[in-house]
Structures are given as C-alpha cells and as structure tokens.
Amino acid sequence: MLRTRLFLLALLGAACSPSDRAASGDAAAINAAPVPAEALAAIDTATIMQHVRVLADDSLLGRQPGTLGEERTAAYLESQFKAIGLAPGNPDGTYVQKVPLVGITVTNAPAMTFEKDGKTQTLKWRDDYVAWSKHVQPSASLDKSEAGVRRATVPKRPSSSGTTSRAWTLSGKTLVMLVNDPAACRTTSRFGGARMTYYGRWTYKYEQGMKHKAAGVLLVHETGPAGYPFTVVQGKTAEQFDLVAPDKNMSRAAVEGWITTVQAKALFTMAGQNFDSLKAIAATPEFEPVQLGATASVTLLNTLRELNSRNMVAKLEGSDPALKDEYVVYSAHWDHFGVGEKVKGDSIYNGALDNATGTAGLLAIAKAFAAMPTRPKRSMLFLAVTAEEQGLLGAAYYGMAPLYPLNKTAANINMDGLSQWGRTRDLTVIGLGNSELDDYAQAVATEQQRVLRPDAEPEKGFYYRSDHFNFAKKGVPAFYAEAGIEVIGKPPEFGRAKRDEYTANDYHAPQDEIKPDWDMSGAVQDLQLLLAMGYRVGNASRFPEWRVGNEFRAVREASFKQK
C-alpha cells in the first residue's frame, strides 16, 4: 500500500516562444505546378463515404484495439492498400507494425475517500471521479497517511523547454492539479497567447507526476479548460491501454485520474481552503503548492491483458533514386472506443467522424498518389495508427521505433476528422505558424481561393491531441488541419455551431455516426489541399523547417547530427 499525502498543485506551465514567421521555405516547391488532374479526380465524395460506411459500421464493433473490431479493421485496410497498389510499408514485407500494449480494466468501481481531522469525504466511482492505473499489476492503491509534509515549489519563470531548475519534494504524495495553462498566462505571448501549450495538457500533468515520483495525480475537471464535458472522462472507466515500459510502468504514479469541480471544491472546503481563491492565486507566477492536510485513499483492482495491436502501413516508393529513401508520412488513427456503456440506447462507439473519416481520407489520398503518371521524388508512407484514443499510443510507438529514420522523414500530414458540412472559404490549421508547412498550405489554399484560419479554440490544445504530435516531439515538422468554419451558403455562425453541437452531443459517444445531412464536398476540398502539400514537399529541394523559436526546432536540428 502506498502512503500518500494530498497537495494542491497549480498547473505547470512553460513559456512557448511566439513563432518567427520570417523564415522562408522552398519557394519553387511551394509554388510548384498543380497536382496532376488524375490524382485530384481520384478524391471524390463517393470514395470517401464508401470507406466511412465500412469503417463506421456496427460490424466493426467500434474499432477498439485488441478486439474482433481491430481484426476486421486491419483486414479492411490491408485489402484497400493492396487494391490501390501500394507496397507493404514495413520493411519486413508486411503491412503491419506490431504495437505491444497492455489493457488494464478496473473491476471493483471503488469509492475514493479524503480525510482530515476526523472528517471524511467520499467520492463515488464514475459520478464524482474517474481513476485508473497504468501499473502492470493486479492492484494499485493510495493509502491515507499523516498530513505533515514538506512544501514543494513551482518555478516562477519556467524555461522554454518545460523543465524547471528547482527540485521538487513530492515523492509519495498525491497531487490535485488544474488542467490547461493558467488563465493569466493565456493572455501573454510568452505562453503562446490564448492557445494551450503542451505544458497545460493533461498528459503532461501525469508525466510530471511520474517525473517527481508522486503516488497519485488527480486533475480537476472543468469543461472549458479541458475542452470537453465530464461524460468524456467517464468513458475512461472501460479498459485503458498503454505501451509497456521495461519496468512494467511502475515508474508512473500508482493512481491517475480526474475529479469533478464540485468534489474538488468540497475537498478544499474540508481542508479549510477556498477553491476559487486558490485558483486565482494559481494563475500568478508567485503561486506555490499548498498543503491541504488531507489524505487520499483508494484501491483499484485490475484485470490485465497484454497484446500486440497494429499500426497499418503502406508505401508508395519515390521516383528519384537519390531521394526515395526520404519520406512524407500521411497519418490517421483507425481506432475508437469499441462497445461500452449505453448512451441513449446505443452501446457501439462507431467513431464515424472520429476517425473513420480521417482513415477514409488516408485511403483516398493514397489512391490519388497511386493515380499519378509520375510519382513524387520522395516516397510516401501511409500510416493508420492504433490506440490514438488511449493517449496517441500507436503514433508514440512509431516515434520510438520508426520503420524509417525520422531524420529522413520530411514531414507528417495528419487527418483526424474531416469536414462534413460542405465546402468552406477557410481551413482551420491547428498550430498555425509552427513550420514552413504552413507556406505550402497557404499556397494551395490561395489556388483554391481560400484562406488559412488559426485554431478557433486554441485554449483546448488540439495540437497536442492527435497523432501528429508524436512526430513533432521527435522533431518532424507536422501539419494538422480541421474543417473551416465559414461554410459556403450557410449563415456566418453555422460552422461554429455545428462544431459545438458535435462536441456536446457526439464526441467520444455512440452518437458519433454518419448523419443523413453530411455533405462531404468540404472533405474533398481539404483532402485535395493536403494531397497537393505532400506532393510538393515530396518534390522539394529541401525539407520544410520549424519556424525560428519553435519548441521542436532544436530536436530536429539534433536529429540531423545523428547517423
């Protein structure tokens, strides 16, 4: 049993320098000749919807890794790769990269208790909190302890790398943390303005708990800062997957999870603190962690399942002998949440938009490249990754064990949910300003008589919430776009309203299904833009670069020094 003490810790932030947009790209490649007409014609609404109907069908059982749904999804993707005429993407001659995962399911739905001075607060499983363990062990616990602790500190001026210069003394303790960056920091360019930095992302919070040997990490759920309602968190009561580290993940906190704002406020009141007041102070650089003097207790009983899931990968070899060993990687995740608790009478989480559409787009772009009379000089890799919904695990594994060197990977272009409301005057680029890939996108958008729009909701941290991020972390310039919001022929507020409607009603719910009023002409428009980007990067005289000052630029430069 792990003896724990409970702290309030303000979120960790790190300055993310504003991008320097003065860097210039390969002008000849950026403004190169258009994509061959045969390739553009290969992308059409019928092709996209044919794939979406298969991938979002009930027979695929929600495409959860490690299930019959994965078997059927993988078989379909391999059959389509072969039909398109793509070569196996794994150098071993197969279309599969095995991804070792462990599935962990909490079986006992336990209550969590906080105690202080004889008072007890009991949190109900799923309603008040959700927790899990990534330890490959049959149980994981937090056990109450005495309240006396040393106070840890938060750096007043975090570095651009996200590291801190002060030593933490949090070993064995339980941290209660806010999600996202401090509101005050989102008003300054030092933290990237309104956009969330990686240091505000919930995954980073858990990583910091592991780094500083915390026993438990609990995040306070607030819908605005999190970017989704608590119902999405409640989906994590099903089987959770993770990659298996050599230490069986024992270096991670024993218990990770979320608690509702209501329960967090009650905890702080019991501890003689005021949640809102501390939250306000936590937004300032001067804030330091506060000892609550309470204790946390919970025991999770787990069932374990180790398995090999699949990244599905295919290749179109480049036409230039000198450049065919360099790659442009298109990616999309094929997985979703499988079969779970019923919501409005439906228990199959089909993931039609998220991400049957993106996977359909991957296949459509692959078909378009195969239709070109002359292939690009560089090779194209089409990567359908597993377990994105479990924490970007398939892409993370590819980053750790790439099939082709990352310092020979020119770019990653990722698709995670395509436009389904018609053609737009704009394209939303998540992380606009990060790299010279924006120059390629801008050139093609101009040809389409469109404009690039920055993320409409930068505070939700979408750049860190899909598979491209695991390429970016390794230094590979990564591009991720979502549907525009200025829908042609619709009122100005239509696009944003539909986006909000999806988040509230369909996101990570069984209701994410094909809708009768979908108009995939916008998806065709966006996919043709992404096709043209990859085509031009594939023929460029040099790789696109990160902007000066970008957080990933140094990683890229270091990778080029490796053999």
Side-chain angles (χ1 to χ4, degrees):
M1 300 286 280
L2 294 170
R3 303 184 64 79
T4 70
R5 295 165 179 173
L6 193 63
F7 273 70
L8 165 70
L9 182 66
L11 57 94
L12 301 175
C16 182
S17 301
S19 298
D20 180 349
R21 302 194 58 157
S24 59
D26 184 339
I30 290 168
N31 299 290
V35 171
E38 300 94 328
L40 292 175
I43 300 176
D44 56 60
T45 57
T47 298
I48 296 167
M49 286 307 302
Q50 174 188 341
H51 294 312
V52 174
R53 289 189 184 96
V54 173
L55 293 166
D57 191 78
D58 282 356
S59 64
L60 267 65
L61 302 170
R63 306 191 307 278
Q64 185 175 22
T67 68
L68 179 60
E70 172 171 358
E71 299 286 340
R72 292 173 175 172
T73 302
Y76 180 73
L77 293 175
E78 182 168 335
S79 72
Q80 294 304 304
F81 286 153
K82 289 178 177 178
I84 292 168
L86 301 176
N90 193 322
D92 69 3
T94 71
Y95 293 92
V96 175
Q97 180 187 36
K98 292 181 180 179
V99 180
L101 298 178
V102 58
I104 304 176
T105 307
V106 177
T107 60
N108 59 326
M112 176 180 285
T113 59
F114 298 131
E115 296 181 60
K116 182 177 182 181
D117 299 334
K119 298 178 181 178
T120 300
Q121 176 188 351
T122 302
L123 278 63
K124 187 177 180 181
W125 173 258
R126 195 174 187 276
D127 291 345
D128 299 327
Y129 87 103
V130 171
W132 57 85
S133 178
K134 296 301 177 72
H135 289 187
V136 186
Q137 295 288 328
S139 67
S141 299
L142 301 176
D143 186 30
K144 63 182 180 179
S145 71
E146 296 179 4
V149 295
R150 292 177 62 190
R151 188 159 100 173
T153 58
V154 173
K156 295 182 179 180
R157 187 174 181 84
S159 73
S160 60
S161 66
T163 61
T164 69
S165 59
R166 299 188 185 185
W168 285 21
T169 55
L170 303 177
S171 178
K173 302 171 179 65
T174 293
L175 311 181
V176 179
M177 306 174 78
L178 302 173
V179 72
N180 211 315
D181 299 308
C185 293
R186 293 199 298 271
T187 64
T188 172
S189 62
R190 190 168 71 89
F191 272 78
R195 73 176 182 89
M196 182 195 291
T197 70
Y198 179 55
Y199 313 109
R201 183 78 173 121
W202 60 266
T203 52
Y204 182 77
K205 314 286 184 169
Y206 295 135
E207 288 171 5
Q208 289 302 300
M210 175 177 68
K211 177 180 178 181
H212 299 292
K213 304 185 185 305
V217 180
L218 300 175
L219 303 187
V220 178
H221 181 272
E222 296 177 280
T223 298
Y228 38 76
F230 193 69
T231 53
V232 172
V233 175
Q234 289 173 320
K236 291 183 175 291
T237 53
E239 183 177 32
Q240 298 292 297
F241 289 93
D242 205 351
L243 300 173
V244 183
D247 70 346
K248 299 293 184 179
N249 303 339
M250 296 301 290
S251 59
R252 295 187 65 146
V255 175
E256 302 171 352
W258 296 77
I259 63 173
T260 65
T261 304
V262 170
Q263 292 298 331
K265 288 183 175 182
L267 167 62
F268 286 28
T269 298
M270 183 179 71
Q273 301 283 352
N274 181 278
F275 176 84
D276 293 323
S277 297
L278 282 175
K279 180 180 175 182
I281 299 171
T284 68
E286 291 74 26
F287 178 74
E288 294 185 352
V290 175
Q291 177 184 337
L292 293 179
T295 63
S297 298
V298 68
T299 296
L300 307 178
L301 302 180
N302 304 318
T303 59
L304 307 173
R305 182 167 67 107
E306 295 193 46
L307 64 136
N308 281 317
S309 189
R310 302 170 179 86
N311 286 339
M312 302 300 296
V313 57
K315 181 172 72 170
L316 189 78
E317 189 171 86
S319 60
D320 188 334
L323 296 179
K324 68 180 183 179
D325 289 334
E326 298 176 352
Y327 295 86
V328 175
V329 179
Y330 284 92
S331 61
H333 73 90
W334 60 256
D335 68 296
H336 204 58
F337 287 101
V339 180
E341 291 194 21
K342 283 189 176 181
V343 178
K344 299 178 182 178
D346 191 357
S347 62
I348 299 179
Y349 290 65
N350 302 89
L353 179 67
D354 180 17
N355 189 32
T357 61
T359 306
L362 182 76
L363 294 172
I365 286 180
K367 180 181 177 183
F369 272 107
M372 291 182 180
T374 302
R375 297 176 178 182
K377 295 177 182 179
R378 294 186 173 88
S379 296
M380 299 289 139
L381 203 66
F382 304 98
L383 180 64
V385 294
T386 184
E388 188 270 356
E389 303 291 11
Q390 304 292 330
L392 317 182
L393 301 181
Y397 187 75
Y398 187 90
M400 291 187 295
L403 298 176
Y404 304 94
L406 295 178
N407 60 8
K408 291 190 175 183
T409 301
N412 168 242
I413 299 173
N414 186 55
M415 293 157 283
D416 195 350
L418 299 183
S419 172
Q420 76 275 32
W421 299 114
R423 293 169 60 85
T424 60
R425 297 182 181 88
D426 58 343
L427 179 71
T428 301
V429 178
I430 308 301
L432 183 64
N434 279 342
S435 79
E436 291 175 354
L437 289 173
D438 295 342
D439 299 336
Y440 287 88
Q442 181 64 68
V444 183
T446 299
E447 293 165 10
Q448 293 183 333
Q449 298 183 329
R450 302 170 72 194
V451 297
L452 301 184
R453 176 189 294 274
D455 185 0
E457 302 172 288
E459 71 281 0
K460 293 184 178 179
F462 287 115
Y463 196 80
Y464 314 110
R465 289 169 57 175
S466 194
D467 297 299
H468 62 282
F469 179 54
N470 278 305
F471 284 89
K473 282 203 301 186
K474 295 293 185 177
V476 178
F479 184 87
Y480 172 42
E482 291 186 344
I485 60 174
E486 293 185 40
V487 183
I488 296 172
K490 300 293 184 181
E493 67 278 4
F494 178 83
R496 175 64 75 91
K498 284 298 182 183
R499 181 187 180 101
D500 293 344
E501 178 184 296
Y502 171 78
T503 301
N505 301 323
D506 297 351
Y507 178 61
H508 288 184
Q511 285 64 50
D512 183 2
E513 298 183 304
I514 298 171
K515 303 295 193 294
D517 56 351
W518 275 14
D519 177 356
M520 301 304 287
S521 62
V524 170
Q525 183 187 36
D526 292 349
L527 289 172
Q528 289 178 340
L529 183 147
L530 299 179
L531 170 70
M533 286 181 61
Y535 176 70
R536 294 178 184 186
V537 172
N539 287 317
S541 62
R542 65 172 179 83
F543 285 3
E545 298 179 3
W546 294 104
R547 302 290 189 196
V548 174
N550 183 273
E551 58 201 296
F552 307 116
R553 185 180 176 97
V555 181
R556 182 62 156 178
E557 292 173 348
S559 74
F560 290 140
K561 299 175 183 178
Q562 300 171 0
K563 294 182 179 180

